[in-house]
Amino acid sequence: MAVLIFYLWALKEAGETQARAAAFLALALANMTLALVDSASSAVSLFHPHRRVFWLISTGAIAVLSLAIFLPFVGDLFRFERPPAAILATGIVVALLAGGWAAPARWVAFRFCRSRSEPVSPELVAVAS
């Protein structure tokens, strides 16, 4: 939904081919961010060897997107034009927020649940009995 709203806003600010390029970048980056957030739930480092495939795919996708946005003859294949820098930056922020919102939410929930499940001291148990 966030990328759709961003696309509709970008249509008002730039041409159709520029808005399409920015929205496609935002959609792809949001999906990669979501995949990273989902895989980050384990206690393993983000750069652990078993995440190598994720990083290879993400690097390749970002490279192709960059070529499509910044090289006109590649952009013609996608029917993209390079959007203004402000729209690209806004798209990146939208993508990171849309794909990464679960990480801070998970952290807050973990902190909240952990603070509520602290062990009760024996003195309080004796007083309550």
Side-chain angles (χ1 to χ4, degrees):
M1 186 61 106
V3 175
L4 175 62
I5 292 169
F6 168 70
Y7 174 68
L8 295 173
W9 171 80
L11 275 174
K12 294 178 185 175
E13 301 295 319
E16 179 188 354
T17 53
Q18 292 175 330
R20 183 179 25 235
F24 190 76
L25 171 73
L27 183 63
L29 188 56
N31 282 324
M32 287 184 271
T33 304
L34 181 61
L36 182 61
V37 166
D38 282 345
S39 71
S41 63
S42 66
V44 179
S45 165
L46 292 178
F47 299 105
H48 192 269
H50 86 274
R51 296 189 204 276
R52 186 172 296 139
V53 173
F54 169 80
W55 291 113
L56 288 172
I57 291 170
S58 294
T59 303
I62 290 171
V64 169
L65 283 169
S66 297
L67 291 173
I69 290 173
F70 294 109
L71 293 178
F73 66 92
V74 179
D76 290 344
L77 297 172
F78 291 89
R79 296 189 179 152
F80 287 168
E81 282 184 40
R82 181 174 41 189
I87 292 178
L88 277 178
T90 304
I92 291 170
V93 169
V94 166
L96 294 176
L97 291 174
W101 67 269
R106 189 180 301 137
W107 181 82
V108 168
F110 174 76
R111 295 289 181 212
F112 180 74
C113 291
R114 192 173 78 178
S115 68
R116 293 188 150 241
S117 64
E118 292 180 15
V120 178
S121 69
E123 293 84 28
L124 290 177
V125 172
V127 170
S129 322

